[in-house]
Structure formats: structure tokens, C-alpha cells
Amino acid sequence: MTTVELDIKHLKQKIADKVRHPFLAKFVSDPIIDEDKLVILTSIMDNTGLSPIKKEQYIITTMLVQIALDTHDLVSLSDSGEDQVTVRNRQLTVLAGDYYSGMYYYLLSQLDDIPMIHTLASAIKDINEQKMELYYKDVESFQEFMNGLKTVESLLIQRVAEYVKRASINDVAGEWLLTKKLLNEQRNVQQDGYSPLLDLLVKDRLTNTTYSQIMKSVDLMIQRNLSRLEVTISHLPLHFNNLKSYVHTTLSEQHYQNQVAEEG
């Protein structure tokens, strides 16, 4: 295991320890820690002049924000059944998301870091506004939906990168995080025949398209993004070499998985 892998494992454990709550654990699944976003954040912080303690604090607090946003999405995109168990689970999921949100404010308050709080709070506001556009309003086209999804997936990381003056990562972060999201949704469709997120496009009266057409468009966008990533990531400064290696390794693994799926 490399030093980078050890660092990521260490950070994932610290984040997991922060979000673990005895009561919530009885009813709500442990939150998923997005390793792609964690790797990008770590690469950003590793190349700043911040102290090791502050680097770790920024990474953990940003990931807590991401976990809170992702947890609230489980409510936004789930079916609104009215039976007692479903209602309770939805309420507990909202509670979990609020708990994770409160944790990052608490941690940042300990650092007395008002500018960083403003950075994260502004990003949360803009991301939630973009989610409202995606989830509850008609979009004009597939591309408009993808642009909004890209914002939702990458804006938090990009704002933090700008705050620590490492915005050179932003193009790669945007392309990579959108691509990984689409790959995950594509996998959901292959395994379960359904993607709650992509279903929004099928139901949208303005896009007027079928699931089959959506999946073809998603596959085309994934291939285009992967091609662009090969070029974009090669232009990153040398201090992002660990991130370059991570992305190239993940791309190779994804290519292998796609071959297996096609042969299967």
C-alpha cells in the first residue's frame, strides 16, 4: 500500500469516526465517503502551505459537507411512500444529513475560520439552488441537465480549491466527477434497470426522450469526457502527479470493467 493510499485510508477512518452516531447507526446506513472527491481534496491540500492540522481539518470538514449533501439527496430522489416505516426512515435520513452538516460547522468553529465557513456555506447555497433546478424544474435539453449535474458534483471542491489558490485543478475536477457520476448511474441501470437521477430526464416533458436514448447520450458523454480527461490531466502541474496516477489507474480499471460487462 502506497503512502497516498495510507493517507486516504487514514482520512476515511477519521471521517467515518466523525459521522458515526449510536442512534442513527440503528436505523440509517453508514454514509458513503466519496473516495474520488477525497483524493482530489487531498491532492489540493498537499500542495498548499497550510499546516498539516489545517490541511486535515479542511479535508474532513469539506467531506462532511459533501456527506450531508449526499445524505439529503437520498430523500430528494426517493419515492414518497406514506407508510409508517417509510416516513420514519425519511425523517431519520433528513436528521442524519442535518447532523453531518452540524458537525462541519462545529469543527470549523474550533479553528475560528470564518472565511472557510463562508466559502463552504456559499457553495452549499449554490449547489442546493442547482439541485432545485435539476430535480423540480423542466430543463431545456440533455446538455443543460448535464451542465447542472456537473455543477452539483464539482462546485464544492472547486470553491475550496479557489479558496486555497489551487484552481488549476478545477477543470479536471469538473470533468472527472461528472464522469464518475455518470459511470455510477450507468452501472445502476445495468444492474437494476433503473437510475433515479436519469429518470428525471425521462419524465421531463421538455426533453421528450426515452430511457434508451438517454443511455446512448450518457455513454457518448462518458466517452467524450474520458478522451478530454486524458488531455486535460496531462497538463496539470507536476505536484498533482499523485492525482494523475489515481485517475489513470481508475480509468484502466473502468475500461476492464466495461469489457467484462460487454462480454457478459
Side-chain angles (χ1 to χ4, degrees):
M1 188 174 287
T2 66
T3 301
V4 174
E5 289 171 325
L6 285 170
D7 287 344
I8 296 300
K9 185 177 180 180
H10 165 76
L11 285 166
K12 285 182 75 173
Q13 187 58 56
K14 295 201 80 167
I15 294 166
D17 290 342
K18 293 290 184 186
V19 298
R20 187 172 292 114
H21 188 285
F23 174 77
L24 291 175
K26 294 178 182 179
F27 304 102
V28 180
S29 300
D30 289 339
I32 296 173
I33 299 171
D34 191 319
E35 188 164 313
D36 295 290
K37 292 175 183 175
L38 180 55
V39 169
I40 294 173
L41 275 172
T42 303
S43 297
I44 291 169
M45 294 303 164
D46 279 349
N47 296 288
T48 66
L50 298 170
S51 68
I53 292 176
K54 208 154 196 178
K55 288 178 183 178
E56 184 173 284
Q57 201 74 24
Y58 279 3
I59 293 169
I60 291 174
T61 51
T62 303
M63 289 305 299
L64 287 173
V65 171
Q66 187 63 60
I67 289 169
L69 290 167
D70 292 344
T71 301
H72 283 141
D73 277 353
L74 297 176
V75 178
S76 301
L77 295 180
S78 62
D79 292 327
S80 54
E82 294 300 328
D83 60 278
Q84 187 174 0
V85 174
T86 301
V87 170
R88 186 194 65 180
N89 287 342
R90 288 166 66 82
Q91 290 172 339
L92 287 169
T93 302
V94 172
L95 176 64
D98 292 343
Y99 172 71
Y100 305 145
S101 297
M103 282 298 299
Y104 95 81
Y105 277 116
Y106 170 70
L107 291 171
L108 281 179
S109 68
Q110 289 183 310
L111 280 179
D112 192 25
D113 201 329
I114 301 302
M116 184 59 166
I117 291 177
H118 285 166
T119 296
L120 295 177
S122 172
I124 291 169
K125 172 181 174 292
D126 292 342
I127 290 169
N128 283 332
E129 287 178 355
Q130 185 62 65
K131 284 182 178 180
M132 292 294 292
E133 296 286 330
L134 288 180
Y135 298 164
Y136 303 113
K137 294 185 180 180
D138 290 328
V139 294
E140 295 293 335
S141 65
F142 174 83
Q143 187 59 54
E144 181 185 338
F145 186 88
M146 289 296 123
N147 291 342
L149 183 58
K150 184 176 181 179
T151 297
V152 167
E153 288 299 307
S154 59
L155 185 63
L156 180 64
I157 303 291
Q158 292 171 337
R159 291 285 178 81
V160 172
E162 290 165 6
Y163 179 73
V164 297
K165 297 179 173 51
R166 289 297 180 272
S168 59
I169 195 66
N170 281 358
D171 286 343
V172 168
E175 294 290 343
W176 177 242
L177 293 175
L178 174 61
T179 303
K180 284 304 296 283
K181 182 66 174 179
L182 293 178
L183 286 167
N184 288 337
E185 297 305 315
Q186 186 183 61
R187 191 176 302 112
N188 288 339
V189 174
Q190 290 169 347
Q191 293 175 351
D192 305 322
Y194 177 71
S195 159
L197 180 66
L198 298 180
D199 195 51
L200 295 172
L201 274 171
V202 179
K203 292 178 178 178
D204 195 310
R205 61 182 179 82
L206 292 181
T207 56
N208 190 28
T209 188
T210 65
Y211 230 100
S212 177
Q213 291 170 322
I214 291 293
M215 293 314 297
K216 287 180 181 177
S217 297
V218 166
D219 186 62
L220 182 60
M221 175 159 281
I222 288 172
Q223 299 311 315
R224 287 175 176 171
N225 283 1
L226 290 177
S227 297
R228 282 199 297 266
L229 267 169
E230 291 283 355
V231 176
T232 309
I233 201 168
S234 67
H235 294 153
L236 281 178
L238 288 176
H239 53 250
F240 284 113
N241 277 346
N242 287 333
L243 178 61
K244 292 182 184 181
S245 298
Y246 175 84
V247 173
H248 284 309
T249 299
T250 307
L251 288 175
S252 298
E253 291 173 352
Q254 187 63 49
H255 178 68
Y256 172 76
Q257 290 172 3
N258 287 345
Q259 282 186 322
V260 171
E262 290 170 4
E263 294 171 1

Coordinates of all heavy atoms in Angstrom, one line a residue, residues 13 15 30 43 48 51 55 82 87 107 115 120 130 140 153 159 161 172 182 189 194 202 228 231 237 251 256-257:
Q13 N -11.0 6.9 7.7 CA -11.4 6.4 9.0 C -11.7 7.5 9.9 O -12.7 7.5 10.7 CB -10.2 5.6 9.6 CG -10.5 4.9 10.9 CD -11.6 4.0 10.9 OE1 -11.7 3.1 10.0 NE2 -12.7 4.2 11.7
I15 N -13.0 10.4 9.1 CA -14.3 11.0 8.6 C -15.4 10.0 9.1 O -16.4 10.5 9.7 CB -14.3 11.1 7.1 CG1 -13.3 12.2 6.6 CG2 -15.8 11.4 6.7 CD1 -13.1 12.1 5.1
D30 N -24.5 3.5 7.2 CA -23.4 4.4 7.2 C -23.2 5.2 5.9 O -23.4 4.6 4.8 CB -22.1 3.6 7.4 CG -22.0 3.0 8.8 OD1 -22.7 3.5 9.8 OD2 -21.2 2.0 9.0
S43 N -5.1 16.0 -2.8 CA -4.1 16.5 -3.7 C -4.0 18.0 -3.7 O -3.0 18.6 -3.8 CB -4.5 16.0 -5.2 OG -4.5 14.6 -5.3
T48 N -0.4 22.9 -0.7 CA -0.5 24.3 -0.1 C 0.5 24.5 1.0 O 1.1 23.5 1.5 CB -1.9 24.5 0.5 OG1 -2.1 23.6 1.6 CG2 -3.0 24.2 -0.6
S51 N -0.7 24.3 7.4 CA -0.1 23.4 8.4 C -0.8 22.0 8.2 O -2.0 22.0 7.8 CB -0.4 23.9 9.8 OG -1.8 23.8 10.1
K55 N -4.7 21.4 7.0 CA -5.0 20.6 5.8 C -6.0 19.5 6.1 O -7.0 19.4 5.4 CB -3.7 20.0 5.3 CG -2.7 20.9 4.6 CD -1.5 20.2 4.2 CE -0.4 21.1 3.6 NZ 0.8 20.4 3.2
E82 N -46.1 6.6 1.9 CA -46.7 7.2 3.1 C -46.8 6.2 4.2 O -47.4 6.5 5.2 CB -48.1 7.7 2.7 CG -48.0 8.9 1.8 CD -47.3 10.1 2.3 OE1 -47.3 10.3 3.5 OE2 -46.6 10.8 1.5
V87 N -42.0 6.7 6.2 CA -41.9 8.1 6.7 C -40.8 8.2 7.8 O -40.1 9.2 7.8 CB -43.3 8.4 7.3 CG1 -43.2 9.8 8.0 CG2 -44.3 8.6 6.2
L107 N -16.6 21.8 13.8 CA -15.2 21.6 13.6 C -14.5 22.9 13.1 O -13.4 23.3 13.6 CB -14.9 20.5 12.6 CG -15.2 19.1 13.0 CD1 -15.1 18.1 11.9 CD2 -14.3 18.6 14.2
P115 N -13.6 32.7 7.2 CA -13.6 32.8 5.7 C -13.9 31.4 5.1 O -14.6 31.3 4.1 CB -12.2 33.2 5.4 CG -11.8 34.0 6.6 CD -12.4 33.3 7.8
L120 N -17.7 27.5 2.3 CA -18.5 26.3 2.3 C -20.0 26.6 2.2 O -20.7 26.0 1.5 CB -18.1 25.4 3.4 CG -16.7 24.8 3.5 CD1 -16.5 24.0 4.7 CD2 -16.4 24.0 2.2
Q130 N -28.9 24.8 -7.5 CA -28.8 24.0 -8.7 C -29.6 22.7 -8.7 O -30.2 22.2 -9.7 CB -27.3 23.7 -9.0 CG -27.0 23.0 -10.4 CD -27.5 23.9 -11.5 OE1 -26.9 24.9 -11.8 NE2 -28.5 23.4 -12.3
E140 N -34.2 22.4 -20.5 CA -34.4 22.6 -22.0 C -33.8 21.5 -22.8 O -34.2 21.2 -23.9 CB -33.8 23.9 -22.4 CG -34.4 25.2 -21.8 CD -35.9 25.3 -22.3 OE1 -36.2 24.9 -23.4 OE2 -36.7 26.0 -21.6
E153 N -21.9 18.2 -8.8 CA -20.9 17.2 -8.4 C -19.5 17.9 -8.0 O -18.8 17.4 -7.2 CB -20.6 16.2 -9.5 CG -21.8 15.2 -9.7 CD -22.0 14.4 -8.5 OE1 -21.0 13.8 -8.0 OE2 -23.1 14.4 -7.9
R159 N -14.7 25.4 -5.2 CA -14.7 26.5 -4.4 C -13.6 26.4 -3.3 O -12.9 27.4 -3.0 CB -16.0 26.7 -3.7 CG -17.2 27.1 -4.6 CD -17.1 28.6 -5.0 NE -18.2 28.9 -5.9 CZ -19.4 29.2 -5.5 NH1 -19.8 29.2 -4.3 NH2 -20.3 29.5 -6.4
A161 N -10.8 24.7 -3.7 CA -9.6 24.8 -4.5 C -9.3 26.3 -4.7 O -8.1 26.8 -4.6 CB -9.7 24.1 -5.8
V172 N -10.2 19.6 -14.4 CA -10.1 18.2 -14.2 C -11.1 17.7 -13.2 O -11.8 16.7 -13.4 CB -8.7 17.8 -13.7 CG1 -8.6 16.3 -13.3 CG2 -7.7 18.0 -14.9
L182 N -21.7 9.7 -13.8 CA -22.4 9.1 -15.0 C -22.1 7.6 -15.0 O -23.0 6.8 -15.3 CB -22.0 9.8 -16.3 CG -22.5 11.2 -16.4 CD1 -22.1 11.8 -17.7 CD2 -24.1 11.3 -16.3
V189 N -28.2 1.3 -13.9 CA -29.1 0.9 -14.9 C -28.8 -0.5 -15.4 O -29.7 -1.4 -15.6 CB -29.1 1.9 -16.1 CG1 -29.9 1.3 -17.3 CG2 -29.6 3.2 -15.7
Y194 N -32.5 0.7 -13.6 CA -33.1 2.0 -13.2 C -32.1 2.9 -12.6 O -31.2 2.4 -11.9 CB -34.2 1.7 -12.2 CG -34.9 2.9 -11.6 CD1 -35.8 3.7 -12.4 CD2 -34.7 3.2 -10.3 CE1 -36.4 4.8 -11.9 CE2 -35.4 4.4 -9.8 CZ -36.2 5.1 -10.6 OH -36.8 6.2 -10.0
V202 N -36.1 11.4 -18.2 CA -37.1 10.6 -19.0 C -38.5 11.2 -18.7 O -39.3 11.4 -19.6 CB -37.1 9.1 -18.6 CG1 -38.2 8.4 -19.4 CG2 -35.7 8.5 -18.9
R228 N -11.3 13.8 -23.2 CA -10.8 15.1 -22.8 C -10.0 15.0 -21.6 O -9.0 15.7 -21.4 CB -12.0 16.0 -22.6 CG -12.7 16.6 -23.8 CD -13.5 17.8 -23.5 NE -14.6 17.5 -22.6 CZ -15.8 17.2 -23.1 NH1 -16.1 17.2 -24.4 NH2 -16.8 17.0 -22.2
V231 N -6.3 14.3 -22.0 CA -5.5 15.5 -22.4 C -5.4 16.5 -21.2 O -4.3 17.0 -20.9 CB -6.2 16.2 -23.6 CG1 -5.4 17.5 -24.0 CG2 -6.2 15.3 -24.8
P237 N 0.0 20.6 -13.2 CA 1.3 20.8 -12.7 C 1.9 19.5 -12.1 O 1.1 18.6 -11.7 CB 1.2 21.9 -11.6 CG -0.1 22.6 -12.0 CD -1.0 21.6 -12.7
L251 N -9.2 4.8 -14.5 CA -9.6 4.7 -15.9 C -9.3 3.3 -16.5 O -10.1 2.7 -17.2 CB -9.0 5.8 -16.8 CG -9.4 7.2 -16.6 CD1 -8.6 8.1 -17.4 CD2 -10.9 7.3 -17.0
Y256 N -11.5 -2.1 -18.0 CA -11.6 -3.5 -17.8 C -13.0 -3.9 -17.4 O -13.5 -4.9 -18.0 CB -10.6 -3.9 -16.7 CG -10.7 -5.4 -16.3 CD1 -10.2 -6.4 -17.1 CD2 -11.3 -5.7 -15.1 CE1 -10.4 -7.8 -16.8 CE2 -11.5 -7.1 -14.8 CZ -11.0 -8.1 -15.6 OH -11.1 -9.4 -15.2
Q257 N -13.6 -3.2 -16.5 CA -15.0 -3.5 -16.1 C -16.0 -3.4 -17.3 O -16.9 -4.2 -17.4 CB -15.4 -2.6 -15.0 CG -14.7 -2.8 -13.7 CD -15.0 -1.7 -12.6 OE1 -15.8 -0.8 -12.8 NE2 -14.3 -1.8 -11.5

